[in-house]
């Protein structure tokens, strides 16, 4: 089973940190339990970082020698105002994401998610690429980056111009019906929600600090109850889900195969802004190590592959990439 990234994350409605959340009882199965373990995983510091100047020069050298596959996580998008999950101020400190099994089997949970996401989508839809997104697109044009595999679902790499790109966990820009399979553009879906909930957005006071990396927000039960959901444009079902991979849900095979193909065409692997806390991202790194490709990590906190990295740069991603661009004279 694949599980979801710790990055800017698939669209997952918040559940209380203290408990297992609505619907998290008997009958949700092994995938749900595995997802809960993945969500709760704590990544500790296990390696001594490379001195910053040495890390900068070493990573620049890897990029010059041939294209690197870059695996990105939440730390790449924090500069765009999108919070992370597992950082010091990460959203996991105040809520637990619901699993696919909860979303699929608990109608109250999915309704609660959509009320919160309807409000939070304002911020996510306004987010713009930052210097890291643009730097990776430019390094791709220069032939130093062979491709990007992102665990984030914010769509910012594509907007910045990355071409050889795999959004491992999907993109929040579309909504899928779990009954008939119809996929609708998120902006179209949002317009239908606005029509069904006149005055709702204008009445809710949005605190940007409470927006989660998956685009939803903390809302009181009063506002959740007032929210009116719309149905699938084709079949009318209200069992709709952001077209992204949830905890407890498999990554589509074609995305995994494309990521493997990109890895084969690259000479090294660079992790940017991810703890690799879940297997879907970590597996790519392990495959690269088995192929003898050097690994570099740029991240503000500890990660699961740190002990295997040739260069471990303990830094926030944006300032590190600004220094890398200077080092590369790009």
């Amino acid at each position: 089973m694949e599980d979801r990234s710790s990055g800017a994350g698939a669209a997952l409605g918040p559940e209380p940190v203290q408990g297992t959340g609505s619907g998290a009882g008997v009958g949700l199965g092994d995938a749900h339990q595995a997802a809960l373990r993945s969500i709760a995983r704590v990544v500790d510091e296990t390696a001594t970082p490379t001195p910053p100047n040495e890390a900068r020069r070493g990573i620049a050298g890897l990029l010059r020698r041939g294209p690197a596959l870059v695996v990105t996580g939440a730390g790449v998008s924090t500069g765009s105002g999108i919070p992370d999950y597992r950082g010091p101020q990460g959203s996991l400190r105040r809520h637990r994401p619901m699993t696919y099994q909860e979303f699929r089997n608990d109608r109250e949970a999915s309704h609660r998610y959509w009320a919160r996401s309807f409000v939070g989508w304002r911020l996510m839809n306004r987010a713009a690429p930052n210097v890291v997104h643009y730097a990776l697109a430019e390094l791709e044009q220069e032939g130093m980056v062979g491709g990007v595999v992102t665990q984030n679902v914010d769509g910012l790499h594509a907007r910045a111009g990355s071409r050889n790109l795999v959004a491992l966990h999907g993109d929040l820009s579309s909504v899928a019906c779990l009954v008939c399979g119809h996929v609708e553009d998120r902006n179209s879906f949002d317009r239908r929600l606005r029509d069904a909930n006149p005055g709702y957005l204008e009445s809710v006071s949005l605190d940007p600090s409470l927006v989660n990396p998956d685009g939803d927000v903390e809302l009181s039960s009063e506002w959740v109850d007032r929210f009116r959901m719309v149905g699938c444009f084709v079949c009318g079902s209200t069992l709709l889900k952001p077209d992204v991979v949830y905890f407890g849900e498999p990554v589509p095979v074609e995305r995994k195969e494309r990521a493997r193909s990109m890895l084969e065409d690259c000479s090294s692997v660079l992790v940017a802004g991810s703890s690799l806390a879940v297997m879907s991202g970590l597996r790519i790194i392990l495959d690269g190590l088995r192929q003898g490709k050097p690994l570099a990590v740029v991240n503000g906190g500890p990660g699961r592959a740190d002990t295997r990295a040739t260069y471990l740069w303990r830094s926030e991603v944006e300032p590190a990439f600004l220094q890398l661009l200077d080092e590369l004279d790009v």
Side-chain angles (χ1 to χ4, degrees), residues 97-267:
M98 71 174 68
T99 68
Y100 173 76
Q101 290 72 30
E102 289 169 320
F103 188 96
R104 182 68 176 80
N105 295 293
D106 185 338
R107 293 302 182 94
E108 289 185 6
S110 61
H111 181 88
R112 184 167 57 252
Y113 166 75
W114 278 117
R116 292 165 165 173
S117 182
F118 177 49
V119 178
W121 176 243
R122 310 309 110 199
L123 178 67
M124 294 294 290
N125 205 27
R126 291 196 301 265
N130 62 54
V131 65
V132 183
H133 299 104
Y134 287 117
L136 288 171
E138 187 168 359
L139 290 171
E140 182 182 1
Q141 293 177 8
E142 295 291 331
M144 298 183 193
V145 166
V148 174
V149 177
T150 185
Q151 300 168 98
N152 301 337
V153 295
D154 50 40
L156 295 180
H157 283 296
R159 288 172 57 189
S162 287
R163 298 298 181 89
N164 197 19
L165 172 67
V166 173
L168 199 61
H169 301 127
D171 191 318
L172 284 170
S173 64
S174 56
V175 176
C177 176
L178 296 181
V179 174
C180 74
H182 176 70
V183 177
E184 182 177 4
D185 176 77
R186 179 64 180 261
N187 288 321
S188 169
F189 179 68
D190 187 66
R191 286 192 293 270
R192 296 201 293 123
L193 287 177
R194 280 176 174 268
D195 291 343
N197 294 274
Y200 191 96
L201 293 172
E202 294 76 10
S203 301
V204 174
S205 177
L206 174 59
D207 181 350
S209 68
L210 296 181
V211 177
N212 297 310
D214 34 51
D216 61 8
V217 297
E218 304 294 336
L219 283 183
S220 69
S221 58
E222 173 192 357
W223 285 106
V224 171
D225 292 343
R226 285 181 58 177
F227 174 72
R228 294 295 172 261
M229 183 59 175
V230 299
C232 171
F233 192 75
V234 172
C235 73
S237 171
T238 57
L239 194 53
L240 305 176
K241 183 177 81 69
D243 197 14
V244 297
V245 177
Y246 275 42
F247 282 103
E249 186 179 11
V251 172
V253 172
E254 61 272 16
R255 293 181 200 161
K256 293 188 288 186
E257 290 179 346
R258 186 163 173 230
R260 291 191 193 104
S261 176
M262 290 165 60
L263 176 63
E264 291 175 1
D265 293 336
C266 291
S267 60

Side-chain angles (χ1 to χ4, degrees), residues 13-26 28 32-33 36-37 39 96-99 102 106 109 112:
E15 293 297 322
V17 172
Q18 295 84 356
T20 56
S22 177
V26 176
L28 291 178
H32 168 73
Q33 295 302 323
L36 292 182
R37 290 193 294 272
I39 293 168
R96 174 183 72 73
M98 71 174 68
T99 68
E102 289 169 320
D106 185 338
R112 184 167 57 252

